[in-house]
Amino acid sequence: MPAKGVHNLASAPRTHHDVAVIGGGVVGLSVAWAALRRGLSVLLLDRGDPEASASFVAAGMLAPTSEVAHGEESLLALGLASSRLYDAWCKELAESSGLDPGLRRCGSLMIARDRDEAEALERELAYRERLGLVAWRLRPSEARRLEPALAPTLRLALEIPDDHAIDPRALTAALAAAVCAAGGEIRHGAEVAALLHTDQRVEGVALRSGDRIGAERVVVAAGAWAAQIPGLPEHARVPVRPVKGQILRLRDPSGAGLVERVLRLADGYLVPRGDGRYVLGATVEERGWDRDPTAGGVFELLRAAREALPGVDEWIVEEVAAGLRPGTPDNSPLLGAGELEGLYWATGHYRGGVLLAPITGEALAAALTGEAPPPEALPFTPGRFTRAREEVGV
Ligand code: GLY
């Protein structure tokens, strides 16, 4: 008879791996690829609902400088470290997978449409200068020389030359191919029924199909669903919640070239893919598991974009979607070992999963093999929440 809370099954698991990764988005895939490159055997479990994955909806900004927020300097350091890995990571990814991961070194502009936004942007510039980040003030005429389609009413812009973008769907496909090329196994349609564990440690994962997977270590990279995995012992559970984001995918029927750089508005962003396709995002909504796009959300996104870029009016709407970001109490990621031997977390990336994918792979591969993690990952141990809960006795 198993002890209380212990999800162990009578017969031995049919397969055994060094690592089982739960989650087939860019974070799970990058952890799997990094672990394989350390010589570990890896099975990745993808529940087979790609449209639910935040990676599927994500615009793919690689924008630590644009996105830095007051009080989040450790997250900035993590983002900058991941951004520095990106070029070499994509090059190896392209070589291993034979696919283009869709990186565009296009730079970004932060845009102010009126006097209030211009004052706020001046403060943002001063903050970035204090942090030693590269950001340049542009007069409206200078900004319009770089991006002639910007509205003539533009008040101010900042050029952020080191913030770029990648196509998360192309990246996902390249990562999946690289995982397979490195000898990893990806099981699609594999929904987890329970984490298998004793009182002491993780033993694997049971699937809804009835299959049981033996694994020395289990990495939970299931995004907003990470804390919902059945069978997690209560003391090891982490606080992850869904944060809804609505986006539009648009296409300029005249083709590429109207906008080259990522445009960041006070309340949204526009990411060009370089071929006439654009992603316009995103709302940030605390609405539980709701994933329905709404008229109000779409209206606000389009209104903001049109004020900055009147040419948007002519674009074709190809897709309207909503995704769920994994938020944590400090909206920063959970990277590394959990409170049960053999359990690891790679989730809680909130608005930064695509940017943080390479460093998350490195941090988790280090944790799985006992190497020192990248120093920038140290503040993001999952224990910061489980320990806090113990201290207040919940
Ligand atoms: N990374 C942008 C967003 O979550 O909307």
Side-chain angles (χ1 to χ4, degrees), residues 124-145:
E124 294 295 330
L125 174 62
Y127 175 55
R128 281 158 183 76
E129 286 174 343
R130 278 201 302 283
L131 294 172
L133 298 170
V134 183
W136 300 313
R137 180 192 288 100
L138 299 181
R139 288 193 301 271
S141 58
E142 293 170 318
R144 294 189 72 228
R145 246 196 311 279

Side-chain angles (χ1 to χ4, degrees), residues 58-61 67 245 247 264 269 281-284 325 350-353:
M61 276 173 300
E67 288 182 342
I247 57 107
R264 297 193 68 97
Y269 49 77
T283 63
V284 181
R325 313 171 177 95
Y350 190 49
R351 305 191 71 175

Side-chain angles (χ1 to χ4, degrees), residues 37-231:
R37 297 201 295 169
R38 301 294 206 284
L40 300 172
S41 67
V42 178
L43 171 66
L44 183 139
L45 302 167
D46 171 22
R47 74 183 162 142
D49 184 6
E51 289 179 22
S53 144
S55 307
F56 188 79
V57 177
M61 276 173 300
L62 308 176
T65 298
S66 307
E67 288 182 342
V68 62
H70 293 260
E72 292 187 354
E73 288 75 16
S74 301
L75 190 57
L76 168 69
L78 188 73
L80 289 172
S82 201
S83 169
R84 284 192 292 273
L85 297 176
Y86 241 99
D87 275 348
W89 191 68
C90 280
K91 191 165 173 284
E92 284 176 51
L93 196 49
E95 282 164 9
S96 304
S97 67
L99 297 173
D100 177 0
L103 178 65
R104 282 191 76 233
R105 298 184 57 77
C106 53
S108 298
L109 294 185
M110 297 174 76
I111 305 291
R113 290 163 296 184
D114 56 30
R115 208 170 71 183
D116 285 355
E117 285 187 10
E119 279 174 19
L121 206 51
E122 290 285 7
R123 289 193 295 275
E124 294 295 330
L125 174 62
Y127 175 55
R128 281 158 183 76
E129 286 174 343
R130 278 201 302 283
L131 294 172
L133 298 170
V134 183
W136 300 313
R137 180 192 288 100
L138 299 181
R139 288 193 301 271
S141 58
E142 293 170 318
R144 294 189 72 228
R145 246 196 311 279
L146 294 180
E147 295 291 352
L150 285 170
T153 49
L154 177 79
R155 289 300 287 252
L156 181 69
L158 303 185
E159 183 175 8
I160 315 288
D162 299 330
D163 280 0
H164 305 296
I166 192 163
D167 180 343
R169 294 182 186 175
L171 175 62
T172 303
L175 277 166
V179 164
C180 296
E185 187 187 335
I186 299 179
R187 205 174 289 187
H188 297 285
E191 208 170 319
V192 172
L195 182 78
L196 301 175
H197 61 90
T198 64
D199 276 341
Q200 278 75 45
R201 62 162 299 115
V202 160
E203 297 204 314
V205 171
L207 302 182
R208 292 239 179 267
S209 63
D211 274 6
R212 292 174 318 108
I213 313 294
E216 287 297 305
R217 284 148 281 186
V218 173
V219 179
V220 183
W225 289 265
Q228 311 293 313
I229 303 294

